[in-house]
Amino acid sequence: MEHRLTIYNTLSRKKEQFVPAHSPHVGMYVCGPTVYGDGHLGHARPAITFDILYRYLTHLGYKVRYVRNITDVGHLEHDADDGEDKITKKARLEQLEPMGVVQYYLNRYHKAMEKLNVLPPSIEPHASGHIIEQLEFVRKILDAGYAYVSEGSVYFDVEKYSKDHHYGKLSGRNIDELLSTTRELDGQSEKRNSADFALWKKASPEHIMNWPSEWSQGYPGWHLECSAMGTKYLGEEFDIHGGGMDLLFPHHECEIAQSVAALGHESVRYWMHNNMITINGTKMGKSLGNFITLDEFFEGTHPLLSQPFSPMTIRFFILQAHYRSTVDFSDEALIASEKGLQRLMEANAHLDKITPAERSTVDIRSLRSKCYEAMNDDLNSPIVISHLFEGARTINTIIAGKETINAEDLEELKSVYHTFLHDILGLTAETGANDEREAAYGKVVDMLLEQRLKAKANKDWATSDQIRDQLAVLGFEVKDTKDGFEWKLNT
């Protein structure tokens, strides 16, 4: 079937049909983590959102170059008390090299992404490894007349840029209001306007991470890294730039301005943003006491959690909402997601237990097209999941002997679940350290139930009931089917 994928372009504020500039090649850049602390649930959402896009574009046959940057220069998230960069502060307190701090948190991030079944990007460049490219970008902007040097730092001249171009087009900000805003910031007196942002910052003596330039010993501004690395790895024009809604302004707005100033044109054709995860309607934040790390979710060690939640439960919880919708966290919502995922996985596992009949009494032919239709509609994962639940109900009726399915339809059903549940949504069966022990328990239960089948065949109802009742006491739920039996352990 022909796929007409539409995605919501934040720049045009509408859904647009996705047409790559150089089909079948697609260039995709996503703002990755700032590595100065443990990842939390909010960090998982953009990773999973753009993992779905990466998976689906690849599934459709595109050759995707997926670039996800690592912010490690140490120019973000200053402590309110003393204005000290967090990477620098941790390095000083623990007597480590800043890059040692970066590597520690990056390793943790990669492990969390692997648990969440987030595919690695094609390229994962570090801001600290691309200082030369960022310096060259600053020079181009200066040469174009849209930046100025002040006391060893270089600032982007937003007012001058706005006379020739539209600063605020992505976020919808009013440039006059931005220019009239005054704030007390570090280096504010160096700027011509409060809205001007740093392209290069002169380093103070205690700032560990710094590099030489013709203006000063310093470090690049935050926004610069994505413009420089996106251009380096994807060219002066590429298809998709993604990130969280919180990056829309000022980060992505400044990226557009930098690219236009340096290159003479915009670089990105489609801007995509995922929405936030909230707790009781409030964005996650350490200051509010509602910050939960991914490890705390996996281990169940946070006070707001009643139990540990597996990585696949977290992934499923996020995918149950459209990526542009706000997701409000609660312990109850995660428990419901855990049960829902279990139902889907059980239905998928049941497919291997079905013996095909000569004819089908179920209609599963439209399931694939409905799932594709949902994915093509701006990656509507919750609708895909709802269709898979419909399929699960059909599978359960077949297992219960109420319906039949022929071999051709059974293979089609297996293919749909493998494609959408595993390949595209990235949901997999849970694995853990106790898998071998659980498999052994399963063999014992199967053996007991085989004995129960023999007892029933011999009309030894007392033995049959005794095996069923004793398993029930141990927490096993047994169901008789037309092909024998099935069971599960109630937790």
Side-chain angles (χ1 to χ4, degrees):
M1 64 180 294
E2 182 182 358
H3 297 284
R4 300 176 68 87
L5 171 62
T6 63
I7 56 178
Y8 185 87
N9 190 345
T10 309
L11 189 60
S12 65
R13 293 169 177 76
K14 64 181 180 181
K15 292 181 186 178
E16 297 180 9
Q17 184 179 348
F18 177 67
V19 181
H22 306 288
S23 187
H25 298 275
V26 173
M28 179 170 123
Y29 188 100
V30 175
C31 290
T34 301
V35 283
Y36 58 83
D38 290 332
H40 58 77
L41 189 62
H43 293 155
R45 193 171 194 194
I48 291 172
T49 294
F50 294 101
D51 181 59
I52 296 298
L53 177 60
Y54 182 32
R55 287 171 178 270
Y56 193 54
L57 289 173
T58 303
H59 172 75
L60 294 181
Y62 293 111
K63 300 181 186 301
V64 185
R65 175 176 280 193
Y66 175 17
V67 180
R68 185 181 68 201
N69 72 300
I70 299 296
T71 297
D72 63 351
V73 164
H75 49 215
L76 280 178
E77 298 297 327
H78 296 78
D79 280 356
D81 294 340
D82 52 18
E84 187 176 9
D85 166 74
K86 287 190 175 181
I87 293 177
T88 299
K89 182 175 182 178
K90 191 168 184 64
R92 176 175 55 78
L93 292 176
E94 299 190 13
Q95 296 184 327
L96 298 171
E97 287 288 337
M99 285 305 166
V101 176
V102 167
Q103 194 63 54
Y104 171 78
Y105 286 113
L106 184 57
N107 290 345
R108 291 173 68 91
Y109 176 77
H110 283 156
K111 287 178 181 178
M113 293 303 103
E114 185 176 354
K115 290 177 181 177
L116 291 166
N117 200 25
V118 171
L119 298 175
S122 312
I123 304 171
E124 193 173 54
H126 290 228
S128 61
H130 295 77
I131 301 299
I132 293 174
E133 290 84 357
Q134 293 177 76
L135 287 170
E136 185 59 29
F137 229 83
V138 176
R139 295 183 188 110
K140 288 181 179 179
I141 296 172
L142 279 167
D143 290 343
Y146 292 117
Y148 57 91
V149 181
S150 177
E151 299 182 29
S153 295
V154 184
Y155 293 98
F156 191 92
D157 193 332
V158 171
E159 184 174 26
K160 185 172 183 180
Y161 174 84
S162 298
K163 291 178 180 178
D164 301 325
H165 306 284
H166 183 185
Y167 183 85
K169 63 188 301 182
L170 182 67
S171 60
R173 300 295 177 105
N174 185 305
I175 184 61
D176 293 329
E177 291 180 1
L178 289 173
L179 291 174
S180 64
T181 301
T182 57
R183 293 179 299 167
E184 290 299 325
L185 295 175
D186 177 40
Q188 181 68 55
S189 61
E190 299 175 4
K191 298 196 222 177
R192 294 175 183 172
N193 287 290
S194 61
D196 295 349
F197 55 90
L199 298 172
W200 184 263
K201 200 79 172 73
K202 181 180 180 180
S204 58
E206 66 274 9
H207 201 287
I208 301 175
M209 302 180 78
N210 60 80
W211 293 264
S213 77
E214 54 264 53
W215 314 293
S216 66
Q217 192 78 14
Y219 52 93
W222 170 32
H223 315 302
L224 194 61
E225 64 188 78
C226 291
S227 294
M229 292 190 291
T231 301
K232 177 179 176 67
Y233 293 107
L234 299 175
E236 289 193 4
E237 182 186 31
F238 56 91
D239 295 299
I240 298 169
H241 194 317
M245 193 72 73
D246 55 335
L247 298 179
L248 197 151
F249 185 88
H251 186 47
H252 291 163
E253 193 74 73
C254 293
E255 277 191 60
I256 291 177
Q258 289 170 163
S259 295
V260 172
L263 307 174
H265 58 81
E266 293 184 30
S267 293
V268 180
R269 303 178 70 233
Y270 301 89
W271 286 91
M272 296 181 67
H273 294 87
N274 64 271
N275 217 319
M276 300 294 100
I277 293 182
T278 60
I279 297 180
N280 296 323
T282 304
K283 182 184 173 182
M284 280 190 173
K286 286 185 178 178
S287 61
L288 299 174
N290 61 4
F291 181 96
I292 308 176
T293 70
L294 290 172
D295 282 344
E296 286 174 329
F297 276 105
F298 301 156
E299 297 164 8
T301 53
H302 194 278
L304 292 176
L305 302 174
S306 63
Q307 63 178 66
F309 291 98
S310 71
M312 284 300 101
T313 297
I314 299 298
R315 187 179 178 101
F316 185 67
F317 168 70
I318 289 174
L319 292 177
Q320 281 184 294
H322 190 269
Y323 76 89
R324 288 191 288 111
S325 301
T326 301
V327 176
D328 196 50
F329 156 82
S330 69
D331 188 67
E332 293 78 13
L334 278 177
I335 291 173
S337 293
E338 183 179 62
K339 293 178 179 177
L341 177 61
Q342 185 180 15
R343 289 199 300 272
L344 270 186
M345 288 302 180
E346 286 177 352
N348 183 57
H350 286 161
L351 286 170
D352 292 328
K353 300 177 182 179
I354 294 175
T355 301
E358 291 186 5
R359 68 184 187 91
S360 292
T361 60
V362 293
D363 180 15
I364 53 90
R365 289 294 171 174
S366 63
L367 182 59
R368 182 185 295 272
S369 61
K370 288 192 291 187
C371 288
Y372 273 125
E373 183 179 357
M375 285 301 300
N376 289 334
D377 183 18
D378 196 27
L379 310 178
N380 204 327
S381 60
I383 299 299
V384 174
I385 290 171
S386 71
H387 292 323
L388 293 177
F389 272 122
E390 290 177 16
R393 285 191 287 272
T394 299
I395 293 168
N396 290 335
T397 61
I398 296 170
I399 286 289
K402 297 178 182 178
E403 303 283 359
T404 59
I405 188 170
N406 64 29
E408 183 181 357
D409 286 348
L410 179 59
E411 287 306 309
E412 167 66 4
L413 199 52
K414 288 180 179 180
S415 175
V416 168
Y417 270 78
H418 188 275
T419 296
F420 289 95
L421 191 65
H422 298 309
D423 292 348
I424 295 174
L425 295 185
L427 296 166
T428 61
E430 301 289 1
T431 59
N434 294 323
D435 284 352
E436 292 184 6
R437 183 180 297 176
E438 290 174 2
Y441 289 157
K443 291 178 181 179
V444 172
V445 174
D446 286 342
M447 183 175 64
L448 287 171
L449 291 175
E450 291 290 350
Q451 294 300 316
R452 179 171 175 265
L453 279 181
K454 291 179 181 179
K456 288 176 68 178
N458 295 329
K459 297 184 179 181
D460 184 357
W461 310 118
T463 300
S464 171
D465 291 345
Q466 183 183 27
I467 293 173
R468 181 198 61 204
D469 294 343
Q470 287 181 345
L471 286 173
V473 170
L474 296 173
F476 293 92
E477 180 181 338
V478 179
K479 289 184 180 180
D480 293 316
T481 69
K482 65 171 186 174
D483 296 318
F485 58 82
E486 63 178 53
W487 60 268
K488 68 177 181 178
L489 177 61
N490 293 320
T491 56

